[in-house]
Amino acid sequence: MSYFSLEAEQSVLGSILLAPDLIYESLLMPDAFYHEGHRVIFENMLSLREENKKIDVVSITSRMGQALQDVGGMSYLVDLSKSVPSISDFSSHERIVKEKYLMRTGLIAVKEVYSGGHEDPVEFAAELMSIAEKIGDQSRDREGFSHIKDGLMNHFELLNDKKYNGQALGVSTVGTELDRITGKWQKQTLNIVAARPSMGKTAFLLNNAVRNGKEGLTVAIFSLEQPEMQLYDRMIAAECYIDGERIRTGQLRDDEWETYTLGLSVLTEMNVFIDDRPGLSVQEIRAAVRKLKKRHPDLIVYIDYLQLIKGGKKFSNRNDEVGYISSSLKQMARENDCPVISLAQLSRGVEQRQDKRPMMSDLRESGNIEQDADTISFLYRDDYYNRDTEKKNIIEIIVAKNREGSVGTAEMMNLKQYGKFKDFDYRLQ
């Protein structure tokens, strides 16, 4: 396999000599050229472009002087322009130059990682995946425009659906009021749900995941804190309205066994995938999601929880690492066209205030979480802190940031013995 194409490089340079305006369409940098002489010629073409001067054989010869003689002199420039069969091939030849350049830089980067003496295989794999992601991003076609006609027709279809469905499109959350405030979980968004311990983060995640599964979506759950079987305990307790303690101990009453069996039949029909490996890196999560997305396009991703994810490489401080992780999760949502919901831990600063309802500043090791997240919600139970509260068995879901919608607080019934959240207008059967 060749890691350069002199013919493609010659064609790019020759095409610009024949049609100088092509230099304004080119996004190549001089380093993309393998041949040193070609690199120098292109550098001078760029300089002439910046100075708004004409790009032709004479101006380049005058500018390069002796350096051109090392390449082959004016006759080489003339030969370049004569060697181009058609300038219509400029884009395809430019793409070949770019692809060869990415292959060379990728190979160099891999060699550097290999010679770096990594002793941790996870860190080594993370570095390789990071290189692959960068090359993949850079190799995409540069065309990013869409015609307004196409965009507005899509807008019409979305607005029409909203009118007749009565709500914004998106993936439903566990609560009607929460749907109204957030506009539901939208594709390509990163949604952070944060709380102090014992507020019900994991229960909230599982309630949402089961609802999405029942609606026919494929659900991916990354549980970095709890093993798979503990999640099943919680899912079954919430689905069957069986006390979670009896599920955990196996002490089901005779009448609960039938309910348990019926609940299993419902849950097993859902397309839910759970990965409970501890200490996953963000690169491993992205790779797993990409693989699952290929088999199941209609996907939603849940992560428990953000601060347990590893960055996969060295960082100067933990804030930088968490910022890198949140940015990677946002990229994952966009590249897989799916919502990503990640739980997050709050700092102990909450406990020091009289009003213990969380605020943005309470996000632990926040890094760029505020910037990257499309929505940030906090879970709060007043009955956890205040025995005499009027809000017993109520969970407050405080939407503090919503890039595309409103903010506010949704309240739901919190049936703690089942780990179940319910709208107020629901009644147990």
Side-chain angles (χ1 to χ4, degrees):
M1 177 185 293
S2 175
Y3 292 96
F4 60 91
S5 171
L6 296 181
E7 294 80 4
E9 292 183 9
Q10 290 169 338
S11 179
V12 167
L13 296 175
S15 296
I16 295 173
L17 288 171
L18 290 174
D21 284 350
L22 288 175
I23 193 71
Y24 295 99
E25 298 179 18
S26 178
L27 293 180
L28 290 176
M29 298 299 290
D31 286 346
F33 291 85
Y34 175 80
H35 189 282
E36 184 177 355
H38 294 164
R39 198 157 52 240
V40 175
I41 292 171
F42 192 71
E43 284 176 350
N44 281 272
M45 287 179 167
L46 291 178
S47 298
L48 290 168
R49 181 186 72 179
E50 294 303 313
E51 296 169 10
N52 290 320
K53 294 181 178 178
K54 188 176 181 181
I55 300 174
D56 58 20
V57 172
V58 174
S59 59
I60 293 174
T61 301
S62 174
R63 188 178 190 88
M64 291 183 65
Q66 181 57 42
L68 182 61
Q69 301 307 314
D70 297 336
V71 178
M74 181 185 288
S75 62
Y76 186 72
L77 294 178
V78 174
D79 289 341
L80 283 177
S81 60
K82 288 181 178 179
S83 66
V84 179
S86 172
I87 61 173
S88 63
D89 294 326
F90 176 77
S91 295
S92 60
H93 291 157
E94 186 183 48
R95 189 178 302 112
I96 291 171
V97 173
K98 181 180 178 180
E99 289 173 352
K100 296 293 186 182
Y101 165 69
L102 291 176
M103 290 172 67
R104 293 196 305 274
T105 56
L107 183 62
I108 292 169
V110 169
K111 287 180 177 178
E112 289 177 351
V113 172
Y114 183 76
S115 61
H118 289 289
E119 296 183 1
D120 184 350
V122 173
E123 184 176 330
F124 178 69
E127 292 281 3
L128 294 180
M129 291 175 68
S130 180
I131 293 168
E133 288 169 4
K134 288 178 181 177
I135 292 175
D137 290 341
Q138 294 176 42
S139 65
R140 293 173 185 159
D141 290 338
R142 67 175 181 267
E143 181 61 68
F145 290 116
S146 61
H147 194 278
I148 190 172
K149 179 181 178 181
D150 299 326
L152 289 178
M153 287 306 297
N154 290 334
H155 186 275
F156 169 78
E157 291 174 5
L158 287 172
L159 195 63
N160 194 55
D161 284 339
K162 290 177 183 179
K163 173 180 172 61
Y164 291 105
N165 289 339
Q167 288 197 47
L169 297 177
V171 179
S172 298
T173 71
V174 74
T176 303
E177 181 65 9
L178 187 58
D179 276 349
R180 185 193 66 78
I181 295 173
T182 61
K184 303 186 178 181
W185 308 130
Q186 297 296 319
K187 290 182 177 181
Q188 300 191 20
T189 61
L190 172 61
N191 307 275
I192 301 296
V193 179
R196 289 292 294 153
S198 301
M199 288 294 112
K201 294 192 301 297
T202 303
F204 179 81
L205 182 154
L206 294 176
N207 274 238
N208 279 280
V210 169
R211 172 159 187 167
N212 301 153
K214 287 180 177 179
E215 292 174 341
L217 277 75
T218 296
V219 181
I221 301 174
F222 293 91
S223 179
L224 285 77
E225 185 175 38
Q226 297 185 35
E228 182 181 1
M229 284 300 163
Q230 288 185 15
L231 301 190
Y232 295 145
D233 285 346
R234 287 166 169 259
M235 286 183 182
I236 293 164
E239 178 66 23
C240 303
Y241 290 100
I242 298 175
D243 190 294
E245 185 62 27
R246 289 203 297 279
I247 292 286
R248 284 187 289 274
T249 60
Q251 302 302 310
L252 270 63
R253 299 191 303 260
D254 290 343
D255 62 302
E256 290 175 330
W257 277 102
E258 182 179 357
T259 306
Y260 168 75
T261 304
L262 290 173
L264 285 187
S265 66
V266 171
L267 294 175
T268 54
E269 289 298 312
M270 301 188 311
N271 219 18
V272 176
F273 295 86
I274 297 175
D275 187 336
D276 66 351
R277 291 175 292 169
L280 285 174
S281 69
V282 69
Q283 292 88 355
E284 290 174 307
I285 292 174
R286 287 180 72 172
V289 169
R290 192 180 300 117
K291 185 177 180 180
L292 192 60
K293 174 72 175 182
K294 289 179 180 178
R295 306 199 315 266
H296 304 280
D298 209 1
L299 180 67
I300 184 167
V301 178
Y302 288 94
I303 301 170
D304 186 7
Y305 57 90
L306 189 146
Q307 285 94 345
L308 293 179
I309 302 172
K310 292 183 177 179
K313 54 185 180 180
K314 290 181 172 61
F315 294 87
S316 58
N317 57 66
R318 177 60 178 163
N319 278 354
D320 287 349
E321 184 174 17
V322 172
Y324 170 77
I325 292 166
S326 68
S327 176
S328 297
L329 293 181
K330 173 62 177 178
Q331 291 176 32
M332 182 177 78
R334 294 202 62 187
E335 68 192 14
N336 292 287
D337 193 31
C338 70
V340 174
I341 296 89
S342 178
L343 303 184
Q345 193 70 271
L346 294 177
S347 69
R348 291 188 179 89
V350 174
E351 315 294 337
Q352 311 305 318
R353 299 194 302 267
Q354 186 162 355
D355 184 352
K356 295 177 172 52
R357 286 175 176 81
M359 302 183 297
M360 288 286 201
S361 58
D362 296 321
L363 279 168
R364 282 183 60 186
E365 300 162 329
S366 59
N368 295 325
I369 294 177
E370 272 190 63
Q371 176 181 323
D372 295 322
D374 294 277
T375 70
I376 297 178
S377 303
F378 301 115
L379 304 184
Y380 174 75
R381 286 173 43 208
D382 200 52
D383 59 4
Y384 180 82
Y385 294 105
N386 306 309
R387 292 185 178 181
D388 300 328
T389 183
E390 295 179 355
K391 292 189 172 184
K392 292 188 182 297
N393 301 316
I394 292 176
I395 184 86
E396 296 180 31
I397 307 165
I398 304 165
V399 182
K401 176 186 177 182
N402 189 358
R403 185 167 281 146
E404 297 297 330
S406 59
V407 296
T409 300
E411 293 186 346
M412 299 186 70
M413 296 169 60
N414 179 27
L415 310 178
K416 293 189 291 290
Q417 69 272 37
Y418 309 127
K420 185 78 170 179
F421 294 170
K422 297 286 286 184
D423 282 326
F424 279 109
D425 57 346
Y426 280 70
R427 294 295 181 266
L428 295 182
Q429 302 297 318

